[in-house]
Amino acid sequence: MAAAEQPDLVAQFSALRETAAAANGLVEVEVDGTSDLVGLKIDPRAMRLSSEELSAAIRDAFGRARDAAQERAAQAIPEALRMETPELTTLLQDVKADAHARMDEILVVANELTARLDRLMQPKP
């Protein structure tokens, strides 16, 4: 297949979307085929959850959306490119590490926001 005829896999993966919800639908996460977080919806009622519960819900939804996106992305890869090579293995490990690092950053921000909301919700003396 000539280079001009080959599908632009990065564009295809970036366009692919998967969404997953957690905490009875109070948290919804959307990722693309590269495992980048492209959407995060937190229902205001989720603020009643503890920061640990909210963090767990975000991680759960992100993990399920990421797994579904990765499965769909794998199906979109032409058979000729599915052969595992050391370079591909390294690249996939880098993508996975990057996705985990980004999720850790998101969880830190979510925990900070939850803590701020908890402080704001405290009755004033």
Side-chain angles (χ1 to χ4, degrees):
M1 198 183 293
E5 296 173 11
Q6 292 180 355
D8 183 353
L9 292 177
V10 174
Q12 285 181 354
F13 292 165
S14 294
L16 184 149
R17 298 287 189 269
E18 283 293 336
T19 303
N24 295 319
L26 297 178
V27 173
E28 186 176 289
V29 171
E30 182 180 15
V31 299
D32 68 13
T34 66
S35 296
D36 278 348
L37 179 73
V38 294
L40 174 62
K41 295 179 186 174
I42 300 177
D43 187 290
R45 294 172 294 167
M47 296 307 136
R48 295 182 188 131
L49 300 172
S50 70
S51 60
E52 293 84 12
E53 290 171 323
L54 181 57
S55 294
I58 293 170
R59 281 192 310 274
D60 178 44
F62 178 81
R64 288 189 289 114
R66 182 194 62 227
D67 291 347
Q70 288 175 348
E71 184 176 324
R72 280 191 50 210
Q75 293 170 357
I77 297 173
E79 189 63 38
L81 298 176
R82 290 187 192 194
M83 297 185 327
E84 193 167 326
T85 64
E87 295 84 8
L88 179 59
T89 300
T90 300
L91 177 63
L92 291 174
Q93 289 171 342
D94 290 346
V95 168
K96 184 177 181 179
D98 185 51
H100 284 282
R102 289 178 188 211
M103 190 62 204
D104 288 343
E105 291 172 11
I106 291 165
L107 291 174
V108 167
V109 171
N111 281 332
E112 289 172 359
L113 289 172
T114 301
R116 287 181 188 173
L117 286 170
D118 285 346
R119 287 191 301 271
L120 289 172
M121 301 290 281
Q122 295 296 320
K124 303 239 178 186

